[in-house]
Amino acid sequence: NKTVVTEFMLLGFGNGPKLDCLLFLMFLSIYSATITGNIFIIVLMVANRHLHTPMYFFLGNLACLEVCYSSNILPRMLLSYLVGDRRISANGCFTQYYFFGCLAAAECYLLAVMSYDRYLAVCKPLHYPSRMNGKLCLQLGAASWLSGFLSNSILTFLISNLDFCGPNEIEHDTRVAGLVTSVVAGVCSLPPFLLTFSSYLYIISTVMRIPSATGRKKAFSTCSSHLIVVILFYWSILTVYVLPHRNTQISLNKGFAVFYTILTPLVNPLIYSLRNKEVKEALQK
């Protein structure tokens, strides 16, 4: 005598025509800027021969990932605010969740690969050209995408086979999958985070041993943009999915979720283009 839930209600950030209109315009602007900025970076990497290096190959992959990442979430959100319909089918919800988890995990692995690339460039400069060759770049890039898509398959399968009944309103996360989500998120994010953290410990140690202040500045400038992106991404995603959940944190976690799902893909092209000398020179040409 149970009622099976076939669709969910996404509560979002509140109700009301005025608030929905404001949120629609804000998220539409963010989405447009995100897509434009990341596609521009991809075109720039492909068109400029001086940027055909491992560092920019991985940056192009990151930009492509951010386009897919944002397009998985924001169009459905914009439609909800535009027509006022917060309903989403169960299959549609599982599909969106699957691709979101896959792309988030792939970004964790890709950021770790980018930190390893910077480690080799700064700490092993003489071995860098032979180690980070075209074949290895393709393998690391493909492994990042493939690992991301495989890692979330188990969790999505488990959730999709649960029986859903009773209230069908989703605030942000549910206790049913909370523990499993934290475990999978920890497995997908902590090892890449530790690899990234270790790489930057070696990088900072190597840079600090450079006797010239100009040399230290030049060496660290190649890593600072990536380090900022890593801090912004992991700071928000670890807070939401790995730390213990409390009911009082729901609103706060919503804010963090918006940060790493919507704002991080927006600021990535800005950080890399505004802080990277080679990208600015390529842009001028």
Side-chain angles (χ1 to χ4, degrees):
N1 292 328
K2 64 181 180 180
T3 302
V4 178
V5 174
T6 58
E7 62 181 20
F8 300 109
M9 297 290 293
L10 304 176
L11 298 182
F13 293 93
N15 296 307
K18 292 184 179 180
L19 181 59
D20 285 354
C21 181
L22 179 62
L23 291 174
F24 172 79
L25 294 175
M26 181 180 71
F27 289 131
L28 178 62
S29 301
I30 292 175
Y31 182 57
S32 301
T34 299
I35 297 300
T36 302
N38 283 288
I39 289 180
F40 182 76
I41 283 184
I42 296 172
V43 172
L44 197 63
M45 303 302 153
V46 173
N48 195 296
R49 294 183 179 179
H50 297 288
L51 301 181
H52 291 180
T53 62
M55 174 181 173
Y56 294 106
F57 169 77
F58 295 128
L59 177 56
N61 272 266
L62 180 63
C64 181
L65 189 148
E66 300 293 24
V67 170
C68 300
Y69 195 49
S70 298
S71 299
N72 177 58
I73 297 171
L74 276 168
R76 181 63 185 83
M77 181 186 294
L78 291 172
L79 180 64
S80 296
Y81 288 126
L82 181 64
V83 302
D85 186 5
R86 306 295 178 91
R87 295 176 298 175
I88 183 172
S89 67
N91 291 333
C93 186
F94 296 141
T95 301
Q96 186 184 53
Y97 177 79
Y98 171 71
F99 284 105
F100 158 74
C102 293
L103 293 169
E107 183 161 355
C108 291
Y109 295 123
L110 187 58
L111 290 175
V113 168
M114 294 174 72
S115 69
Y116 176 68
D117 171 72
R118 290 300 85 205
Y119 160 75
L120 289 179
V122 175
C123 302
K124 308 286 183 181
L126 297 180
H127 300 280
Y128 180 73
S130 60
R131 289 191 180 183
M132 193 57 69
N133 52 50
K135 182 180 179 180
L136 181 61
C137 289
L138 290 174
Q139 290 174 341
L140 290 175
S144 299
W145 285 87
L146 184 61
S147 298
F149 275 83
L150 290 177
S151 61
N152 198 48
S153 301
I154 298 175
L155 177 59
T156 306
F157 176 78
L158 291 175
I159 295 178
S160 63
N161 282 275
L162 294 175
D163 291 327
F164 293 91
C165 59
N168 65 338
E169 295 183 343
I170 298 180
E171 184 72 38
H172 176 68
D173 199 358
T174 59
R175 293 182 178 180
V176 176
L179 179 60
V180 180
T181 301
S182 295
V183 172
V184 173
V187 171
C188 294
S189 60
L190 287 179
F193 173 75
L194 293 176
L195 176 60
T196 303
F197 182 73
S198 301
S199 298
Y200 272 99
L201 284 181
Y202 282 107
I203 289 172
I204 294 173
S205 175
T206 302
V207 170
M208 294 306 295
R209 290 199 299 266
I210 298 176
S212 169
T214 304
R216 289 196 298 269
K217 181 179 179 181
K218 182 179 180 181
F220 194 71
S221 65
T222 62
C223 310
S224 58
S225 298
H226 179 252
L227 184 58
I228 292 173
V229 171
V230 167
I231 292 173
L232 292 176
F233 180 76
Y234 276 110
W235 169 64
S236 55
I237 202 168
L238 291 177
T239 301
V240 174
Y241 289 105
V242 179
L243 295 181
H245 291 184
R246 294 186 180 92
N247 292 334
T248 56
Q249 292 180 334
I250 291 178
S251 297
L252 183 61
N253 284 350
K254 283 186 185 181
F256 283 121
V258 168
F259 192 89
Y260 72 80
T261 57
I262 298 175
L263 296 182
T264 301
L266 171 65
V267 300
N268 281 356
L270 295 177
I271 290 174
Y272 280 110
S273 60
L274 295 179
R275 294 182 56 87
N276 195 298
K277 182 180 179 181
E278 292 177 320
V279 172
K280 288 189 287 187
E281 290 177 351
L283 176 60
Q284 292 173 355
K285 292 179 181 181

